[in-house]
Amino acid sequence: MATHGFAGQETHAHAAPQGFIRKWIFSLDHKIIGLQYYFLALAAVFVGMFLSLLMRIHMIWPTVALPLVGEIKPEAYLSLVTMHGTIMVFFVLTTAPQGGFGNYFLPIQIGAPDMAFPVLNMLSFWTTFLGFIVMLAAFFVTGGAPLHGWTGYAPLSALPSAGPGEGLGADLWIISIAIFCIGALMGALNFITTTLDMRAKGMSMMRMPLTCWAWFITAILGLLAFGVLLSGGILLLMDRNLGTSFFVPLVTVNGQLTGHKGGSPLLWQHLFWFFGHPEVYIAILPAMGLCSQLLSVFSRKPIFGYKAMVYAMLSIGFLGFMVWGHHMFMSGMSPYTAFAFSIMTMAIGVPSAIKTFNWLGTLVRGKIRFSSPMLFAIGFVSLFVSGGISGPFLAQPVLDIPLHDTAFVPAHFHLIMGVASIFGIFAATYYWFPKMFGRMMNESLARWHFWFSFIGTYCIFMPMHYLGMAAQPRRYSQFTELQYLAHLIPLNKFITYAAIVTIAGQLIFVANLFWSMFKGKKASDNPWEATTLEWTTATPPPHDNFGGRTPVVHNGPYEYSVPGAPRDFVMQSDPAIKAAH
Amino acid sequence: MASFSTTATVDDPRISMGGGSTLPPVRGGGDDGRSGSPDYGTRLRRARLGLLVALTPILMLFVSFTSAYIVRQGLPTLDPRTNTLVRDWIPVKLPRLLFVNTCVLLLSSVGMELARRQIRREAALAPAASVSAASTGEEKKIPWLAMTVVLGLLFLTGQWMAWRQLAALGYYVSTSPSSSFIYLLTGTHAIHLMGGVLALLVAGAAS
Amino acid sequence: MGLVLLIIIWLITFVSTYFFIAKTWWLPVGASASAASIDHHFTITYILMGIVFVAAQVGLGFLVWRYRDRGGPSNKAEYSHGNTTLEIIWTVLTAVLFVGLNLMSSSIWASERFRPAEANAVRVEVTGMQFAWYFRYPGPDGKFGATKPELEDASAGGEGALGLDSKDPASKDDVVTGTMVVPVNREIEVILRAHDVIHSFFVPAFRFKQDAVPGLAISMHFTPIQTGDYEIACAELCGLGHYKMHGIVKVVSQEEFDKWLAAREAEKQ
């Protein structure tokens, strides 16, 4: 697909389009494409969140008939689990921070007029969009959406007879993911080329804002990971439809032979997690980069240890490819390999801890302004710590014996990869909204939204740790069958109540977003008094980002409170400064 | 970090020219008041970098298939009938035609490289084209690009025939794990090559 | 705002920590030989990580309050790009903490998973299928008889569900049950198999979990040290009835076990 993009487009320079369709639908402008990605992710996050609401309701009131939805059947519950996970991971956590904000702000922050390959950029969005449509279609085919979970473990995912939803629904699920992979690969290609080749004069790699570093490293991870998932998807489709036996050994479903033999279910897990673990970092790295940025901006202080932050992100990306086996400690993989994977996994905690220390170090002796983006950045740090702390439990195979596949695992990854990334997306929205739409978001609504989300998140996911320790397996729709789960039902009820309130709180965000788009206070070009290049241009930025001029960079990205400077921030494009120590 | 601070990983051929060159085409127009569309050297460098980056996931795809192949080949599974571990890998005898196809493919790579050199020489000589007397051993122009396309198509046809031969011998996609992998690897490779042929056709149409 | 953040972050931290310390919800009772050592390592990890958790959250809450913008010209942020010595110190500290923790647990992992079951262990074959567990004892000959996928009949239950081939002499004395019965204080070797999809044999009280994978026969071991009935759950998503795929393992004295097994053998004859 790459060759096609090159052939189609050789240059980034294209005229500002006039017609509605060329301007808003099939736009080549990275800013429009960024917004398209953002709104796709917004639609996806509401679908995903709605699914989780249905799941929580079903756990507590299994027989209640809901308006529009009706009663949720047990098989529907597993479809909800699958689709919630898949939609959130692919179409929200991968799409919004990278496709959305990355597309919009990477070129501007490095001083480029557009992405390297605009046509490819447009194709990557529409490919992703198509993937989303195919994914949603799985709900409406015979048998409904698949029930094999977002990890799609074979043979469950490879056998149409293994359960409802494993027919056409599962095929659509795999095809959707394959389409998504192709879109993500096109995007990653664009990000890497743009970062390496299109930086403005003076914008050396070590002067790039940490957001750009994060998007760059994320793109590299995507480039290496999505091809592997694509290959796994192709093999799975062949097993399902062409009668091959890559993943399926000799099995019988309900006493019926399936005709497969000799395949390896673990092979799928290796391929999936070789993608799946880097995917976790694909989701979280942009949020890390952004929150580093915000902590510096709103503490009015240079980031603590810029280089350490860059190296930490690089080593997280690098180590991220060597730890996939920690998802498979209980899978029948060799216990010796498990030990090696475990050491690597603990090692990856080190750069993560460095980042946390540096965030705290940035706050020390700062002058913190509690604007809404900063609240979410602080919330991100808190959630990252809470979610990170359960990592060393799961990374040790010995403790993984009691904890694997219990509620402890969703508690861990929801905090660190789910909600922490979502907080990054919220922070980015509040921070860049003025630049994108020329208006400010309502600050007091934003604060209410923050308190609902922050406290709500802890009320939902902290108790899941207790459930996990008490051995409640994940992906259970009811807790009535096992007696030892009976005493956990009140806690499950509490989580459902918390989820309902937290999800209701998100309506504040949507209201604020759309209200501010049209009615918000007009924003100045640099409302946060930040230093990076996007704040040197008009609001919203013109078609070529800098209105005909090419920015020249003289300073690092985080020059705040420089002694002797006229203001407490020095723009990257200001004449070179030398701090008067 | 030196390697990150520059884009030196991709060599810049610096084929600068007077703008009125025949190739490659400037698309999208540069009349939007920007500092003009980037020059040929920049665009070539960017396209090469992009291609290099694009090769990575394609490589990963084939690496992934290959490792699946190796794992699947060596892996025993439980036969529930005898309660023992068995290997079910039966090698397929490959048709001889595949050897011919490989030669065609290698030949087309040579053609590709010659076509590249030819285009590069033309581009370098383009400004001096008016002073055509200064030719350095001007030989008859051989259509290397077209020949590469023909060889590519020949290879694809050959592969199709090899599939037909395999099928005639009773080896279908699901016959045995080794036949599955033959179809899988050659199939994805064929798609990969079709993309390449398509790109060559576009390049040919442009020049 | 700084003060509100401090209060909320501290409150969240202390409430969460309270429920961990009070053990309101805790690991199930441990009834196997390895439970004590696994729980011990869990406690060590939990104390160390708990300290890190509380320190980081309390620190975060304190910092955002202490260094809030108080307005006025005298309130200036410090111009500093970091401190390499500090960076090195906390890198080394976390590396030592994390890798050290891991090495501490490696001996438990080795005894759980590197060492094969003892020769005199009680052998039980555990088979998972949608959505039930079946347990097979080899009988006096010590050999599991052949099973045939063609003979499987899930509705028949027991031997029928496993597809036990009655023509094989080794299968004559095989005992198949729906409840697992094992003697106390003996090592039990479980051989895990699955018919259709991946299941996971999870006995919380034994701190035992292992996926049962079609196409593999995975051998593991555990030693129950307390008599009683313990619940088995399926811990790997296996389809529609995942949540109700449960079973019971009965731990009884050696005499009771022998008696029970003999009675099952007698039923077969």
Side-chain angles (χ1 to χ4, degrees), chain A residues 87-97 282-283 417-418 421-422 425:
Chain A
I87 289 176
M88 286 299 199
V89 168
F90 290 100
F91 295 99
V92 180
L93 299 179
T94 312
T95 298
I282 289 173
M417 164 209 189
S421 302
I422 296 270
I425 297 171

Side-chain angles (χ1 to χ4, degrees), chain C residues 53-64:
Chain C
F53 170 71
V54 173
Q57 299 287 7
V58 167
L60 177 69
F62 172 75
L63 290 178
V64 296

